[in-house]
């Protein structure tokens, strides 16, 4: 197989699956179930994960990253990790939404195809080392998620959520693009490898710094870091729960992959400048996320603010400039994905398509009717608090210890303080689930989760437990992938010790 | 010959006008147009820098930006139509169903 095709194999497989779903959709009779299309998408996603694993074996055998398409695509362990993460998130979400769209929705086929296309864009982002490819990947993933956010067509909140996501997302893209244009102006290239050698010695240092700042602002929007978080609660509230499970984890993971490459690989010499911005984002995200969540009555809005706070915790890992900072950030994306996807999939099962449970009051006493699902939701919430032996604990532990090693103890103290605040609102939901119901409560959906959905929930729970009990395996793998990210940076021995 | 800085300053002004319009304007279509204005400012910057570095890659980037902007416009207008059907309004201040 040609090296170019091999470099993009997971993306190609997913694109083919998405196109097949789109082609097959109008061939099915109008009233028939769209489940076979869902299984086709699941097959495509699983195959693309296998393709990513084959790439991993090949990279390990070669001992060096592989390049494709004129050095715009780089396959290394970092990109393989994010490929596998994105594929698993999409796979789990697909499994859980097979039944979600049964019945009231006639256009479920498009949903499966859009998830495949979105995943393609995210994977493309995580393996590109050229800002043009990053931009294209970002747009493929964004445009698909804009549509997915408004998928419950009948509801007014759905189109409102899609509109807000679309307007603010494109606004952010314009910032990223202006940053790329300025980086091109400062160095004459948009390749991250060239940026690494040229950006700090550019004869227009102001433009170079402005370029990094603009790109950071654009990416900050995408990972919903404060002060660019305003869209998050509204979008998460109006979008369908399984879509929120996907878009609160997978696109963010892809953007973190780009940030790691851009900051650690492309602009290590400007670390003094970008670190100030990152710390500002981190501290503000933790405070706004946690304090905002305290004020929310709607559960999805509360989880949206919690995802802002988690973006803040993750960004603290960037404070260290070592391999374990990259490993900690990657570990955090995986841990956050396992518990957040899990939590939103439980909400999907509890509330059904119409989402009749919304506020904390509605969730009061749900544990009596759906004990297993409530226990699972409680477990994911405990993991988000960071109780030991869950994924959330080690994610925070590694992120904070990376910051500590970078010499930013004040950042760690603020982070720990915030984890304390966070207990309050997670526990409030947990207590509501298990307290006796108020007089008039909305009924949770009574349909039993299908086998596929049970499988998806079990996978999330297993991942959360697994990362909490045996974090070392993944971390070891990630540390092995980190040097490849950190290589080719001249004259950084001082900060690397 | 017009110096390159003129183009860059014009692009920066256009970008700022786009940001200001995005934040101030109240009609959804106008807000959407201000995003397009920002993208065009980016395109101008790319072309100017492409001339400065004598590199064609900046101009190629512009084509990609235009293609993506077209795709975004298709999705964006569809979303705006869906919103108008649901709410009978294009005023962004009235799109506020989701306050806690």
């Amino acid at each position: 197989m040609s090296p170019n095709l091999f470099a993009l194999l997971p993306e190609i497989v997913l694109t083919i699956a998405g196109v097949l779903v789109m082609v097959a959709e109008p061939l099915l009779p109008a009233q028939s179930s769209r489940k076979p299309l869902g299984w086709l998408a699941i097959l495509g996603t699983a195959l693309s994960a296998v393709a990513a694993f084959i790439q991993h074996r090949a990279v390990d055998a070669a001992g060096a990253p592989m390049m494709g398409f004129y050095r715009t695509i780089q396959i290394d362990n970092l990109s393989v990790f994010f490929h596998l993460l994105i594929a698993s998130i999409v796979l789990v979400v697909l499994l859980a939404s097979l039944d979600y769209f049964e019945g009231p929705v006639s256009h479920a086929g498009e949903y499966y195809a859009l998830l495949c296309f979105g995943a393609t864009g995210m994977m493309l982002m995580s393996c590109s080392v050229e800002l043009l490819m990053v931009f294209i990947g970002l747009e493929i993933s964004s445009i698909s998620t804009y549509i997915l956010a408004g998928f419950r067509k009948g509801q007014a909140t759905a189109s409102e959520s899609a509109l807000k996501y679309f307007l603010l997302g494109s606004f952010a893209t314009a910032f990223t693009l202006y940053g790329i244009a300025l980086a091109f102006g400062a160095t004459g290239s948009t390749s991250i490898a060239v940026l690494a050698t040229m950006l700090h010695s550019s004869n227009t240092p102001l433009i170079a710094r402005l370029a990094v700042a603009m790109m950071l602002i654009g990416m900050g929007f995408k990972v919903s870091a404060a002060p660019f978080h305003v869209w998050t609660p509204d979008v998460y509230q109006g979008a369908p729960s399984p879509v929120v499970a996907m878009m609160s984890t997978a696109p963010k993971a892809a953007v973190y992959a780009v940030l790691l490459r851009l900051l650690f690989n492309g602009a290590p010499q400007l670390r003094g400048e970008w670190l100030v911005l990152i710390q500002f984002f981190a501290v503000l995200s933790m405070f706004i996320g946690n304090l905002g969540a305290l004020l929310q009555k709607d559960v999805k809005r509360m989880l949206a603010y919690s995802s802002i706070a988690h973006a803040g915790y993750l960004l603290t890992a960037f404070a260290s400039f070592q391999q374990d900072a990259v490993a900690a950030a990657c570990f955090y994306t995986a841990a956050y994905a396992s518990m957040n996807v899990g939590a939103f999939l439980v909400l999907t099962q509890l509330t059904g398509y119409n989402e009749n449970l919304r506020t904390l009051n509605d969730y009061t006493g749900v544990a009596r009717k759906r004990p297993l699902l409530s226990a699972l939701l409680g477990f994911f919430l405990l993991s988000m608090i960071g109780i030991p032996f869950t994924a959330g604990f080690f994610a925070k532990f590694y992120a904070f210890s990376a910051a500590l090693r970078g010499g930013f103890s004040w950042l760690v103290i603020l982070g720990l303080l915030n984890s304390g605040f966070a207990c309050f609102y997670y526990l409030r939901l947990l207590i509501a689930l298990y307290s006796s119901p108020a007089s008039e409560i909305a009924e949770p959906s009574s349909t039993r989760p299908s086998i596929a959905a049970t499988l998806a929930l079990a996978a999330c729970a297993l991942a959360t437990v697994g990362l909490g009990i045996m974090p070392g395996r993944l971390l070891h793998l990630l540390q092995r992938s980190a040097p490849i990210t950190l290589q080719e940076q001249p004259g950084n021995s001082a900060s690397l010790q | 010959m017009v110096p390159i800085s003129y183009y860059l300053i014009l692009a920066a002004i256009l970008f700022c006008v786009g940001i200001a319009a995005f934040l101030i304007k109240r009609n959804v279509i106008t807000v959407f147009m201000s995003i397009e204005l920002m993208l065009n400012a980016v395109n101008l910057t790319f072309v100017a820098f492409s001339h400065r570095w004598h590199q064609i890659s900046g101009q190629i980037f512009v084509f990609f930006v235009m293609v993506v902007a077209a795709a975004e416009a298709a999705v964006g207008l569809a979303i705006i139509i869906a919103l108008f059907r649901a709410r009978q309004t294009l005023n962004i201040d009235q799109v506020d169903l989701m306050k806690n």
Side-chain angles (χ1 to χ4, degrees):
Chain A
M1 190 189 300
S2 107
N4 283 342
L5 285 184
F6 184 68
L8 278 187
L9 195 58
E11 286 87 348
I12 293 172
V13 171
L14 260 181
T15 313
I16 293 175
V19 170
L20 280 181
V21 171
M22 285 296 247
V23 170
E25 150 101 311
L27 299 180
L28 289 178
Q31 293 308 317
S32 75
S33 160
R34 257 53 184 164
K35 258 191 205 171
L37 298 178
W39 286 111
L40 182 60
I42 288 168
L43 182 71
T45 318
L47 281 179
S48 102
V50 171
F53 189 74
I54 295 172
Q55 285 184 336
H56 167 66
R57 300 291 293 272
V59 170
D60 260 5
M66 292 187 300
M67 312 294 282
F69 288 99
Y70 307 98
R71 307 186 73 77
T72 60
I73 302 291
Q74 177 172 326
I75 302 301
D76 50 24
N77 282 328
L78 188 81
S79 75
V80 167
F81 166 73
F82 280 103
H83 277 58
L84 286 175
L85 178 63
I86 292 163
S88 352
I89 293 172
V90 172
L91 192 67
V92 166
V93 169
L94 278 170
L95 280 173
S97 40
L98 279 175
D99 293 293
Y100 186 74
F101 286 113
E102 214 44 33
V105 185
S106 57
H107 48 291
E110 295 158 25
Y111 171 84
Y112 303 125
L114 283 171
L115 271 180
C116 288
F117 292 141
T120 311
M122 294 160 210
M123 289 181 175
L124 195 60
M125 278 166 85
S126 66
C127 67
S128 38
V129 288
E130 156 78 37
L131 293 174
L132 176 60
M133 300 301 281
V134 169
F135 165 65
I136 293 171
L138 183 69
E139 281 303 289
I140 296 175
S141 107
S142 300
I143 291 179
S144 317
T145 31
Y146 298 153
I147 308 172
L148 287 172
F151 218 78
R152 287 182 301 151
K153 274 202 295 195
Q155 266 108 337
T157 48
S159 46
E160 183 179 330
S161 132
L163 181 80
K164 282 179 177 163
Y165 195 29
F166 167 72
L167 286 180
L168 287 164
S170 338
F171 189 60
T173 309
F175 273 91
T176 314
L177 263 181
Y178 200 51
I180 296 174
L182 292 177
F184 175 68
T187 62
S189 167
T190 49
S191 154
I192 288 180
V194 178
L195 292 191
T197 55
M198 302 271 292
L199 205 55
H200 60 285
S201 57
S202 156
N203 3 335
T204 50
L206 180 70
I207 291 187
R209 280 164 179 71
L210 212 57
V212 177
M214 290 289 240
M215 283 190 266
L216 265 182
I217 291 175
M219 307 276 176
F221 262 103
K222 296 285 175 189
V223 297
S224 71
F228 313 114
H229 64 281
V230 276
W231 57 273
T232 323
D234 283 358
V235 172
Y236 287 10
Q237 187 187 344
S241 298
V243 171
V244 180
M246 191 278 290
M247 78 183 183
S248 61
T249 51
K252 287 186 188 177
V255 173
Y256 284 121
V258 173
L259 272 181
L260 285 172
R261 280 195 203 281
L262 185 68
L263 297 180
F264 284 68
N265 219 351
Q269 316 279 4
L270 296 179
R271 179 165 179 263
E273 280 85 359
W274 58 252
L275 197 54
V276 178
L277 264 181
I278 289 279
Q279 282 169 350
F280 175 69
F281 291 172
V283 171
L284 211 61
S285 304
M286 289 192 285
F287 275 100
I288 289 187
N290 286 320
L291 297 180
L294 285 177
L295 302 174
Q296 302 306 315
K297 294 188 189 74
D298 188 289
V299 169
K300 275 167 94 184
R301 284 181 86 86
M302 190 202 88
L303 286 174
Y305 274 101
S306 116
S307 89
I308 298 169
H310 280 284
Y313 300 137
L314 203 159
L315 287 176
T316 56
F318 282 63
S320 157
F321 197 83
Q322 290 176 9
Q323 292 165 12
D324 40 353
V326 178
C330 295
F331 187 87
Y332 206 113
T333 56
Y336 179 63
S338 61
M339 56 203 187
N340 206 50
V341 170
F344 273 105
L345 293 187
V346 175
L347 293 194
T348 312
Q349 293 300 327
L350 282 177
T351 62
Y353 183 78
N354 292 320
E355 306 201 348
N356 45 355
L357 300 181
R358 289 185 49 239
T359 62
L360 269 175
N361 277 339
D362 296 340
Y363 278 91
T364 309
V366 163
R368 297 194 174 181
K369 284 166 188 133
R370 310 299 303 271
L372 264 177
L373 282 175
S374 303
L376 208 52
L377 181 59
F379 171 66
F380 291 128
L381 290 176
L382 286 179
S383 172
M384 284 193 209
I385 293 174
I387 300 290
F389 304 112
T390 57
F393 171 74
F394 280 106
K396 272 186 194 154
F397 175 76
Y398 290 132
F400 289 159
S401 58
L404 210 55
R405 228 163 292 147
F408 292 93
S409 37
W410 62 272
L411 203 58
V412 177
I413 292 171
L414 287 181
L416 290 173
L417 198 68
N418 266 289
S419 310
F421 291 151
C423 283
F424 183 71
Y425 59 85
Y426 290 127
L427 287 179
R428 196 172 57 179
L429 176 56
L430 196 59
I431 290 168
L433 282 175
Y434 283 96
S435 48
S436 55
S439 51
E440 19 117 34
I441 53 157
E443 280 290 304
S445 148
S446 56
T447 42
R448 288 171 55 85
S450 66
I451 295 172
T454 315
L455 210 65
L457 287 171
C460 292
L462 269 182
T464 312
V465 174
L467 290 178
I469 293 174
M470 303 180 290
R473 245 181 111 86
L474 179 64
L475 201 74
H476 178 69
L477 201 75
L478 288 172
Q479 270 165 346
R480 211 151 49 96
S481 75
I484 297 167
T485 338
L486 289 178
Q487 75 179 7
E488 297 173 32
Q489 29 156 338
N492 236 302
S493 46
S495 51
L496 271 174
Q497 297 172 353
Chain B
M1 201 185 101
V2 184
I4 190 140
S5 56
Y6 285 35
Y7 294 104
L8 294 179
I9 292 170
L10 174 65
I13 292 173
L14 279 179
F15 195 79
C16 293
V17 169
I19 296 176
F22 182 89
L23 297 173
I24 294 168
K25 287 291 179 184
R26 284 290 152 258
N27 186 296
V28 176
I29 305 271
T30 323
V31 170
F32 181 49
M33 276 163 62
S34 58
I35 291 172
E36 297 291 312
L37 187 64
M38 290 165 78
L39 291 182
N40 282 325
V42 171
N43 284 349
L44 188 57
T45 314
F46 264 120
V47 174
F49 279 132
S50 171
H51 183 73
R52 148 95 168 67
W53 287 97
H54 301 292
Q55 282 211 357
I56 203 77
S57 60
Q59 298 179 30
I60 294 170
F61 213 120
V62 170
F63 281 104
F64 278 99
V65 174
M66 289 197 295
V67 169
V68 167
E72 227 173 41
V75 171
L77 291 174
I79 291 174
I80 293 174
I81 290 173
L83 179 87
F84 185 75
R85 275 197 189 147
R87 303 293 313 277
Q88 308 296 324
T89 178
L90 283 179
N91 188 325
I92 216 145
D93 286 329
Q94 290 168 14
V95 185
D96 57 354
L97 286 180
M98 291 180 290
K99 288 272 155 60
N100 195 31

